[in-house]
Amino acid sequence: MSNTELAHRVRLTPAPCLRRVKRLEQEGIITGYHAKVDPAAAGRSFEVTVAVEVTVNDQRSLEEFESAVAALEEVVEVRRVFGSPDYILRVLVADVGEYERFQTTKFLRLPGVSRTISHQTMKLVKQEW
């Protein structure tokens, strides 16, 4: 959104609005800007949330697993979480067949993967940030 539109929405004139945005950027509160991509238009409308348990628990092996999973093109988000499972992934692919190929030819071949549980997204109800 333009600075003029933002200023209008927050009821400021453009100059002080721009100063505030610049300050938020300098303080690291605003860390960047991005384009919002339509997964269907990009041919990746099949979204799967994957719970992953790993068999490794030493720091080096975890870092290797994290680097390997982050390098997979289909994986758009990786979170290490407390408790079980160890990781939550968001995977975007074209369809169920492509997900099956991803799972069997790429993901399950990563060292340390013990168990996965996959959940297909039925409907995205809310997404912010």
Side-chain angles (χ1 to χ4, degrees):
M1 123 182 12
S2 71
N3 181 60
T4 305
E5 184 179 345
L6 177 61
H8 178 73
R9 285 188 182 191
V10 298
R11 295 188 170 96
L12 286 174
T13 58
C17 181
L18 184 58
R19 281 194 300 273
R20 288 181 186 190
V21 168
K22 294 295 182 192
R23 182 175 47 90
L24 292 170
E25 291 171 344
Q26 291 168 348
E27 292 175 0
I29 295 168
I30 296 176
T31 59
Y33 299 90
H34 70 279
K36 188 171 182 179
V37 176
D38 179 351
R44 297 174 73 176
S45 61
F46 191 80
E47 180 175 330
V48 183
T49 302
V50 185
V52 182
E53 293 179 9
V54 295
T55 57
V56 297
N57 57 12
D58 64 279
Q59 189 63 33
R60 183 171 158 249
S61 297
L62 289 174
E63 289 170 358
E64 288 173 358
F65 170 79
E66 290 174 3
S67 293
V69 75
L72 296 172
E73 176 188 342
E74 298 86 350
V75 177
V76 297
E77 188 174 304
V78 180
R79 296 175 183 263
R80 184 168 19 164
V81 296
F82 293 105
S84 184
D86 301 303
Y87 292 89
I88 304 285
L89 313 179
R90 272 185 60 230
V91 177
L92 294 179
V93 291
D95 55 34
V96 68
E98 189 175 327
Y99 179 70
E100 190 272 334
R101 280 187 295 283
F102 161 78
Q103 184 81 300
T104 58
T105 65
K106 293 182 180 181
F107 186 70
L108 292 177
R109 294 184 179 187
L110 296 180
V113 175
S114 168
R115 181 173 185 229
T116 66
I117 300 173
S118 303
H119 301 277
Q120 179 189 359
T121 299
M122 180 187 305
K123 176 183 175 184
L124 180 61
V125 177
K126 180 179 180 179
Q127 181 178 33
E128 290 186 13
W129 294 69

